Amino acid sequence: MAMDEEGSLAGKLPQEPPSGLTIKISTSGSKIGKNIFTPLGCSNSDSTSPNLKNSIESSPCNSPLVSPPSSAFVSALQSPYISPRAITPKPQENPAPPENPTPVSHSSPPFSSYRGSQSDDIPSSSYTPPSDQYEYSDDPTEAKLKYVTCVPVPDPAPPRISFSFPVPRISFKGPVSPASNAKLRSCDVYIGYHGQNPNLMRFCKWLKSELELQGIVCFVADRAKYSNTQSHEIADRVICSVTHGVVVVTNSSILNHPSLEEIRFFAQKKNLVPIFFNTDLAEITGLLNCNSIDKECREVIDGLVKSNELKLEVNEGNGRSCVAKAAGILRAKLGRKSVAEKAAEGSEEIPFPRNKCFVGREKEIMEIETALFGCTDSSEQDYAVPIIKGETSGQSEGLADEESDTFSSSRGGRFINLELGGKCKEPTLEAWVEPVTGRNSLKRSKYKKSKSGNYKTLDSSVFCINGVAGIGKTELALEFAYRYSQRYKMVLWVGGEARYFRQNLLNLSQNLGLDVSADAEKERGRIRSFKEQENEAFERVKRELFRDMPYLLIIDNLETEREWWEGKDLHDLIPRNTGGTHVIITTRLSKTMNFDIMQLPPLELTDAMVLMRGKRRRDYPTEELQFLHKFDEKLGRLSFGLWLVGSLLSELAISPCALFEAVNQVPLEDGSTYSYMSMSDEQYCKSNPFLMKLLHFSFIILQQTDGRKNLLALRMLLVGAWFAPAPISATLLATAAKNMPAIGNGFRKWTKCVSLAFSCCSGCGLAPQSEEDAATLLVKLGLARRANRQPGCWIQFHPITQVFARRKEGLSAAKATVQGVRKVGNPSINTNHLWASAFLVFGFKSEPPLVQLKAIDMVLYIKKTAVPLAIRAFTTFSICNSALELLKVCTNVLEEVEKSFVSQIQDWCHGSLCWKRNIHGHQRVDEYLWQDVTLLKASLLETRAKLLLRGGHFDGGEELCRTCISIRTVMLGHDHAQTLAAQETLAKLVRMRSKV
């Protein structure tokens, strides 16, 4: 009786009329890439029989829902989380078919039609949105996605039972073994949604990934898109077995029968967690009230009202907060402890504070938003972008593509969309009903015209901002990150400078809570090569970064399309399918691979005037505004130059007229070139003479602020030019600045020309009192920006400021930078700055060293800086080859020092007696220093041998270790602890080589 009542009430919910729709099956299909496609539209799978369980269990590979054993995909039937084959309805338990079915003619073969109850399961459209892996194809010979009509077919099989009552389906009414119950209960949360909005699907995948990160197993489904009865049965069994049900409610959900069914069922079981997506309870209630208030609608409203105490409403500004809140609620309900709170200590998510003086760029921000999220003001149907299987679909492009397996039919047909998430891989069976339109319609649906008038692809996930230095690319990316950070799990900022790009990418492992360290020193069955270890480290970062969890990755100032160390292509680092992650690249390159690119224009004149008026927004008379126009003309409307003008006007008691006259009197620099400057930097300085004058004026202001010649802030600026393009602590800058020799009079000879400006400096509060004050002064004058780093004060210099400062004091400041890094450089927080000092001391590739150190300073630098840097790079980040190259260069430098000592001794032995008498004590060879150099060389040899052992280079490691033992035997003796330690390393090398 309950079954009859349930069947009679199943058709009362709001549903779409049949309207003569048919599902047409594509007749062609092919395997693409490495994907394995399983047909679901065959007649055997569509005719439900009592022997379904036996056929599935006896031949899983022939089951329409079970993949071959060789496939990487774990189907829902084989999954450890649910067990659709655990209980199969017996023939006598199945409900009887309707007494008076209404036959309807159908143009397609019966096996291609949707089986089951017309009111329950036929979606309003045969369209199913495609996966992100597929792209369009304009080839008219290929199978197209086509919208066709759908008409129900009389089915002798029994109809599906709806969730009209809080009792399980008929399949679960029979006795269920405890083992089967436990297996079904292993799926914790069901997430149901309906809609074609890609941002909705993106949110659901984000929620699933977040819950999986908390150890909660999820099942995500839009059941209205399922085109096979068995897929519905699997989802139904999961719904009945989960502990909690999450329904993402949209306006379109109210018109969708499966969504209403899910809300009623979970509400009756009192385990409903509704999440309102771009809507609220009042709006949903109003939509339901527009229809006839029957029992079903009233139950839906009551269920939403009772469950709305959680207040989970998603909009464009709170996505991250809502996901975190939902995960916390479900974690508490399930009694799980949080396992995902691994935020990096001592670092902020976005490296710089928000620019409160940001102006303009609204059009550009809209362009980026449209490219990444689509036209947000369009209806949900506008997001339904049909995608044709082209030549790129299914091709493994980086790790993100390998994370999802797509299955299709070799003869075309239907595919179901089942997503069952575990903690690791995410098995998915994408269900596309072959659909649509011709060539022109595809182009219209793939591209949407943005408000700014340009066409952008809606499925773009990588966006490039191109422009000259100082145009405002970084500021635009920073503003976008702050505005839209709630749409992402995390914002990840990476410096794109060539020398540091690889290290910066691997640094993300700390933000993501990943372990990318090299293999531990132990006897393994197979020792991986250094290349394998490095590749695995990158793959781990890519695996986490480019999956369904949405991150915003900003690569700032990308210098080259190829990685500097090994020449890897940018596509090796950023796969074509980035999952839920969006990537924004700022670069001076005119073209970056095949990514969407936006040429950043100069600011509008009105915005430029606002920027030059400074933070204080002073009002100037008309005659003063004319000088602001002159600044704008002379600077070519570069945002960096305009910001410098605004900073000077804000911090100095000076008018635009006086400032322009003072800057204009500063003579141009001579046209001399510097060997340590790149051609592009030299050309930029020559192309922007007035900007160079403005920077020179700022330098003079720093020198004359408090009447002292060698101001700390100026010295910090000069040494800061040689640090890496990354945040620097004020303590490190001050330590390096104190190692600088006295600054020459090059800045003072223009004092008379700018005496008017100097009179404005007194009493303006610019005189620094401490290291932090000096760093703050540089920020106030617009030469640097403050960084979100703790503890202490951290700043980062603008690249143009660094280029100009290198031309001023030359290599004396570079040497002071090296000394400062050696004294206080911490490898754990100053990795890039340590690498920058290594480039200055040793040089890499074809670049010569720029800083020459004395022997004692070289020994101290190698001990305190180079060796810790190499060991940390190798062990923590698996940067194996670069670390070994650094240690090898250090060894070669120490050998050169030894040769110089030997040469001095030989010259002393063969020189005249008169010459020997004139040698002073400090000119003789320091025997203790010589001993330190030799022992340090032996230590380097042993360290290199240990690292070579981890990569399987036993012969090379054995040779280095024997040399180390020889040195230590002579210097320290056979029984010394260091000699014995080297012998143990040698024994291990010999033993491992014999095993191989």
Side-chain angles (χ1 to χ4, degrees), residues 319-622:
R320 185 191 303 189
S321 303
C322 184
V323 169
K325 184 177 179 181
I329 291 172
L330 291 169
R331 190 174 61 242
K333 287 178 176 293
L334 293 168
R336 308 286 176 84
K337 294 182 179 180
S338 176
V339 295
E341 297 176 359
K342 298 179 180 179
E345 298 180 359
S347 63
E348 297 291 336
E349 178 179 308
I350 304 178
F352 311 113
R354 190 169 188 173
N355 184 2
K356 297 179 180 179
C357 300
F358 182 84
V359 293
R361 302 300 187 194
E362 295 301 324
K363 176 182 176 181
E364 287 77 13
I365 290 179
M366 188 182 301
E367 288 283 348
I368 302 174
E369 181 190 14
T370 301
L372 299 181
F373 296 102
C375 298
T376 56
D377 57 344
S378 301
S379 63
E380 286 194 358
Q381 285 73 15
D382 290 337
Y383 290 97
V385 183
I387 299 179
I388 301 299
K389 296 191 290 288
E391 61 182 4
T392 58
S393 61
Q395 299 295 332
S396 177
E397 184 65 30
L399 184 120
D401 291 334
E402 298 170 3
E403 284 296 305
S404 60
D405 299 297
T406 304
F407 294 80
S408 176
S409 169
S410 60
R411 297 176 178 268
R414 294 186 180 79
F415 321 110
I416 64 171
N417 181 7
L418 298 179
E419 297 187 17
L420 177 63
K423 282 209 64 174
C424 301
K425 280 204 171 186
E426 175 187 328
T428 60
L429 184 56
E430 301 294 347
W432 313 136
V433 178
E434 289 279 51
V436 231
T437 56
R439 183 187 187 103
N440 295 332
S441 299
L442 280 175
K443 290 186 176 181
R444 285 196 297 270
S445 58
K446 178 179 178 181
Y447 295 95
K448 286 292 178 183
K449 197 170 185 180
S450 64
K451 294 181 180 179
S452 58
N454 294 331
Y455 284 91
K456 296 292 181 183
T457 56
L458 297 188
D459 57 351
S460 172
S461 59
V462 181
F463 194 87
C464 296
I465 305 173
N466 168 259
V468 298
I471 198 68
K473 303 182 294 295
T474 301
E475 294 296 334
L476 177 60
L478 184 65
E479 180 66 17
F480 183 88
Y482 272 103
R483 288 194 188 185
Y484 299 97
S485 60
Q486 276 291 321
R487 299 189 185 184
Y488 300 95
K489 165 71 174 178
M490 188 185 301
V491 178
L492 303 170
W493 193 285
V494 172
E497 292 78 13
R499 294 182 176 184
Y500 312 98
F501 187 36
R502 181 171 63 169
Q503 179 67 65
N504 291 337
L505 284 175
L506 290 174
N507 286 343
L508 295 179
S509 61
Q510 297 178 326
N511 301 76
L512 301 173
L514 302 176
D515 179 16
V516 296
S517 57
D519 292 337
E521 187 177 340
K522 61 182 180 181
E523 298 182 4
R524 297 165 48 97
R526 186 184 74 86
I527 296 181
R528 299 186 302 166
S529 66
F530 292 140
K531 185 176 181 180
E532 288 179 309
Q533 296 184 49
E534 290 183 350
N535 290 339
E536 175 61 22
F538 275 110
E539 291 303 312
R540 287 178 186 175
V541 175
K542 289 167 62 179
R543 183 181 298 115
E544 175 64 26
L545 191 58
F546 300 116
R547 61 188 184 98
D548 286 338
M549 186 76 77
Y551 295 101
L552 176 60
L553 174 63
I554 297 179
I555 302 176
D556 188 31
N557 193 24
L558 182 69
E559 291 184 345
T560 177
E561 292 183 353
R562 293 195 171 272
E563 197 262 339
W564 186 74
W565 288 94
E566 298 178 357
K568 288 185 177 180
D569 191 270
L570 188 60
H571 277 311
D572 294 334
L573 308 175
I574 303 175
R576 183 177 300 136
N577 181 7
T578 62
T581 296
H582 290 161
V583 183
I584 295 179
I585 301 174
T586 69
T587 179
R588 304 181 197 178
L589 301 174
S590 59
K591 182 181 179 182
T592 306
M593 297 300 176
N594 58 346
F595 299 137
D596 289 343
I597 195 163
M598 177 178 65
Q599 184 71 34
L600 192 63
L603 283 172
E604 299 289 340
L605 178 60
T606 54
D607 296 328
M609 296 296 290
V610 172
L611 194 58
M612 282 188 291
R613 286 167 55 192
K615 292 176 285 187
R616 305 184 191 279
R617 297 290 193 266
R618 294 177 179 175
D619 293 326
Y620 295 106
T622 305

Side-chain angles (χ1 to χ4, degrees), residues 110 119 148 209 278 308 343 450 552-553 568 575 590 594 640 811 847 849 972 977:
S119 61
V148 291
S209 299
N278 288 338
N308 195 42
S450 64
L552 176 60
L553 174 63
K568 288 185 177 180
S590 59
N594 58 346
F640 175 66
L811 297 178
E847 299 178 3
L972 304 174

Side-chain angles (χ1 to χ4, degrees), residues 14 54 241 444 583 587 636 852 868 876 926 936:
N54 297 333
S241 66
R444 285 196 297 270
V583 183
T587 179
Q852 302 294 331
T876 305
D926 190 337
L936 179 58

Side-chain angles (χ1 to χ4, degrees), residues 696-710:
H696 196 167
F697 178 82
S698 301
F699 275 46
I700 299 172
I701 291 295
L702 284 175
Q703 189 179 21
Q704 299 296 328
T705 297
D706 61 351
R708 291 182 296 173
K709 180 178 179 181
N710 294 316

Side-chain angles (χ1 to χ4, degrees), residues 27-272:
T27 58
S28 63
S30 60
K31 291 185 179 181
I32 301 175
K34 296 190 296 184
N35 292 338
I36 301 174
F37 296 86
T38 304
L40 299 180
C42 60
S43 58
N44 293 336
S45 63
D46 262 330
S47 56
T48 304
S49 92
N51 298 323
L52 175 61
K53 175 183 176 181
N54 297 333
S55 65
I56 292 175
E57 291 180 348
S58 62
S59 180
C61 294
N62 296 325
S63 171
L65 294 180
V66 181
S67 305
S70 60
S71 172
F73 172 76
V74 181
S75 73
L77 291 178
Q78 293 172 321
S79 172
Y81 307 116
I82 62 172
S83 180
R85 59 187 173 185
I87 301 174
T88 306
K90 298 179 180 179
Q92 61 270 21
E93 293 177 348
N94 290 339
E99 296 181 359
N100 299 316
T102 304
V104 183
S105 62
H106 190 272
S107 58
S108 299
F111 73 86
S112 67
S113 305
Y114 177 78
R115 315 177 44 253
S117 169
Q118 170 187 343
S119 61
D120 284 354
D121 302 314
I122 294 181
S124 58
S125 170
S126 64
Y127 169 73
T128 301
S131 72
D132 295 337
Q133 296 182 12
Y134 291 91
E135 297 181 356
Y136 293 87
S137 172
D138 293 330
D139 186 359
T141 63
E142 293 187 6
K144 303 296 183 182
L145 298 173
K146 297 184 178 181
Y147 283 105
V148 291
T149 58
C150 176
V151 176
V153 177
D155 193 347
R160 293 176 55 243
I161 305 300
S162 100
F163 293 104
S164 300
F165 295 95
V167 295
R169 287 183 180 273
I170 191 66
S171 330
F172 297 94
K173 284 190 173 181
V176 179
S177 65
S180 300
N181 260 335
K183 199 169 185 181
L184 288 167
R185 285 289 179 182
S186 62
C187 189
D188 301 313
V189 174
Y190 172 87
I191 302 175
Y193 71 98
H194 174 68
Q196 298 172 355
N197 186 335
N199 293 324
L200 169 64
M201 292 183 278
R202 185 170 178 269
F203 173 81
C204 293
K205 291 181 179 181
W206 179 6
L207 178 60
K208 176 176 71 74
S209 299
E210 183 66 32
L211 293 176
E212 289 170 359
L213 199 62
Q214 306 288 345
I216 300 173
V217 182
C218 305
F219 186 97
V220 180
D222 182 356
R223 294 189 299 128
K225 298 172 185 174
Y226 287 177
S227 57
N228 185 278
T229 304
Q230 290 183 345
S231 63
H232 280 279
E233 291 298 330
I234 293 173
D236 295 349
R237 291 167 185 266
V238 174
I239 291 173
C240 293
S241 66
V242 294
T243 308
H244 293 282
V246 176
V247 180
V248 182
V249 183
T250 63
N251 291 336
S252 62
S253 300
I254 304 306
L255 304 178
N256 178 45
H257 178 263
S259 296
L260 297 178
E261 194 178 53
E262 292 163 2
I263 294 172
R264 294 175 56 228
F265 181 75
F266 289 127
Q268 290 170 359
K269 290 183 65 177
K270 297 182 180 180
N271 62 350
L272 173 66

